[in-house]
């Protein structure tokens, strides 16, 4: 009787899971398999037939000079995004929750920092195109006040990645800040007060109390900063630089769009997409292998 009941419960559980499984299968796994299949062909999206080329698309990618440059750009971009959207929000969240006692001031800062999160990436890109204008933008005026000449931020390989990353940093900073503030507010106040009674400095409290107690949320913010940050780069890169100058702003996500809808080399675009997926899988593996084990869970 008990065995029959558990079997019925198991069947009912699968019935409840079926809609989600179907959605994932249709809108995630099926396109992924089709993309993997397409990466072995040469097709321009116009021809009625596709030419099978085997691993040729992958061989061309690995043999090209742009592949190393794209990986380098992506690595630099990840470092900058982690600084703007993980480390800075972490520090600001600690300042707002632990060092600023005025509740009205805290609310004002939270509102000001969160406001850019409500703006679309297209609008943010236009705003920063004006901010970085080398002739009349605010940055140019500040530099001129110090007797310096403003560089062409979106036209120089050494600066374009930084300029684009500040757009994403400005856009995503507020959301990550609010998430981290919520985590820090939930830290038991008695732990912080006990540390202060032991004459612990703010840095010690942050390192020994706040970081361990907020590590699950910090890991979440760390993960979305990398995954969503790279996805966000598509819009400003396409609007402002188109991967230039000389692929100086191209990255592993934008190159998929560029080969598919600009160069119409769909097979190579699909191959880049599979490599992009491989990068995400490697990141998630390293996260599970090393970062998850360092997370403190209360229970």
């Amino acid at each position: 009787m008990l065995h029959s009941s558990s079997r019925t419960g198991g069947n009912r559980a699968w019935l409840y899971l079926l809609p989600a499984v179907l959605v994932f299968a249709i809108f995630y796994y099926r396109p992924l398999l089709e993309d993997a299949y397409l990466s072995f062909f040469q097709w321009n999206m116009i021809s009625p037939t596709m030419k099978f080329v085997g691993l040729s698309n992958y061989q061309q990618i690995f043999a090209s000079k742009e592949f190393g440059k794209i990986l380098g750009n992506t690595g630099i971009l990840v470092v900058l995004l982690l600084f703007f959207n993980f480390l800075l929000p972490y520090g600001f969240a600690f300042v707002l929750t632990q060092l600023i006692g005025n509740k009205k001031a805290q609310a004002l800062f939270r509102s000001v920092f969160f406001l850019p999160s409500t703006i679309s990436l297209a609008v943010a890109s236009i705003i920063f195109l004006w901010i970085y204008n080398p002739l009349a933008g605010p940055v140019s005026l500040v530099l001129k006040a110090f007797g310096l000449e403003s560089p062409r931020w979106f036209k120089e390989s050494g600066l374009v990645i930084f300029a684009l990353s500040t757009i994403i940093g400005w856009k995503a900073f507020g959301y990550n800040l609010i998430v981290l503030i919520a985590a820090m507010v939930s830290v038991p106040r008695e732990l912080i007060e006990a540390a202060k009674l032991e004459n612990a400095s703010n840095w010690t409290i942050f390192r020994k109390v706040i970081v361990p107690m907020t590590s699950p949320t910090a890991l979440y913010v760390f993960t979305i900063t990398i995954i969503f940050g790279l996805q966000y780069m598509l819009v400003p890169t396409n609007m402002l630089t188109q991967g230039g100058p000389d692929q100086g702003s191209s990255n592993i996500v934008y190159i998929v769009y560029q080969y598919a809808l600009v160069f119409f080399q769909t097979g190579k675009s699909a191959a880049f997409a599979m490599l992009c997926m491989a990068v995400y899988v490697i990141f998630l593996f390293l996260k599970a292998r090393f970062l998850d084990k360092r997370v403190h869970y209360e229970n």
Side-chain angles (χ1 to χ4, degrees):
M1 187 71 177
L2 181 61
H3 180 71
S4 175
S5 175
S6 62
R7 180 182 299 178
T8 303
N11 293 336
R12 186 176 299 172
W14 275 108
L15 185 62
Y16 291 142
L17 288 172
L18 185 59
V21 171
L22 289 176
V23 169
F24 266 87
I26 295 172
F27 296 103
Y28 183 79
Y29 295 112
R30 179 173 172 268
L32 183 63
L33 292 175
E34 289 183 349
D35 193 74
Y37 173 77
L38 186 60
S39 68
F40 298 109
F41 289 84
Q42 189 179 70
W43 185 45
N44 60 4
M45 293 193 294
I46 299 175
S47 173
T49 59
M50 297 188 300
K51 180 182 178 182
F52 179 77
V53 294
L55 295 174
S56 177
N57 289 324
Y58 293 96
Q59 293 172 349
Q60 292 177 22
I61 289 173
F62 290 131
S64 65
K65 294 182 179 179
E66 70 173 356
F67 181 63
K69 194 168 188 177
I70 288 168
L71 286 183
N73 291 342
T74 304
I76 295 172
L77 183 60
V78 166
V79 172
L80 290 172
L81 290 177
L82 287 175
F83 174 75
F84 288 125
N85 294 142
F86 177 67
L87 295 179
L88 281 183
Y90 217 154
F92 270 84
F94 178 73
V95 171
L96 289 178
T97 56
Q98 305 301 327
L99 304 184
I100 297 180
N102 190 310
K103 298 297 182 180
K104 291 184 178 180
Q106 291 181 9
L108 175 62
F109 281 118
R110 286 199 299 267
S111 301
V112 170
F113 285 131
F114 185 75
L115 183 61
S117 300
T118 64
I119 298 174
S120 71
L121 280 170
V123 174
S125 300
I126 295 173
I127 292 174
F128 273 80
L129 181 63
W130 165 70
I131 290 174
Y132 284 127
N133 187 300
L135 298 178
V139 174
S140 173
L141 296 177
V142 172
L143 291 176
K144 284 180 181 179
F146 290 94
L148 301 174
E149 183 179 353
S150 177
R152 298 182 302 168
W153 295 92
F154 297 112
K155 299 296 182 181
E156 298 185 17
S157 295
L159 295 174
V160 64
I161 289 291
F162 172 81
L164 290 173
S165 67
T166 57
I167 301 175
I168 308 302
W170 184 69
K171 161 75 175 173
F173 180 91
Y175 173 80
N176 292 358
L177 177 68
I178 295 300
V179 172
L180 290 168
I181 285 176
M184 291 187 188
V185 168
S186 65
V187 174
R189 191 67 191 176
E190 55 268 22
L191 293 179
I192 299 174
E193 296 298 333
K196 289 181 178 180
L197 289 175
E198 296 293 332
N199 294 322
S201 64
N202 289 325
W203 169 245
T204 301
I205 293 173
F206 176 76
R207 188 165 52 94
K208 297 292 186 179
V209 179
I210 298 296
V211 170
M213 296 299 293
T214 61
S215 54
T217 303
L219 182 60
Y220 164 74
V221 173
F222 180 88
T223 303
I224 65 170
T225 295
I226 295 177
I227 294 178
F228 291 134
L230 289 177
Q231 295 176 7
Y232 288 162
M233 280 299 295
L234 176 61
V235 173
T237 302
N238 185 48
M239 289 185 62
L240 304 179
T241 67
Q242 294 79 50
D246 190 26
Q247 295 288 32
S249 62
S250 190
N251 54 77
I252 196 67
V253 174
Y254 177 74
I255 199 68
V256 175
Y257 164 84
Q258 191 175 41
Y259 267 100
L261 300 177
V262 178
F263 302 149
F264 294 102
Q265 299 181 29
T266 320
K268 188 173 287 188
S269 172
F272 266 115
M274 297 310 298
L275 294 175
C276 181
M277 178 61 68
V279 170
Y280 282 132
V281 170
I282 291 172
F283 164 71
L284 293 176
F285 170 78
L286 294 176
K287 168 182 168 294
R289 181 68 175 83
F290 298 104
L291 297 180
D292 286 348
K293 295 180 179 180
R294 302 177 66 87
V295 172
H296 168 82
Y297 293 101
E298 185 176 355
N299 296 322

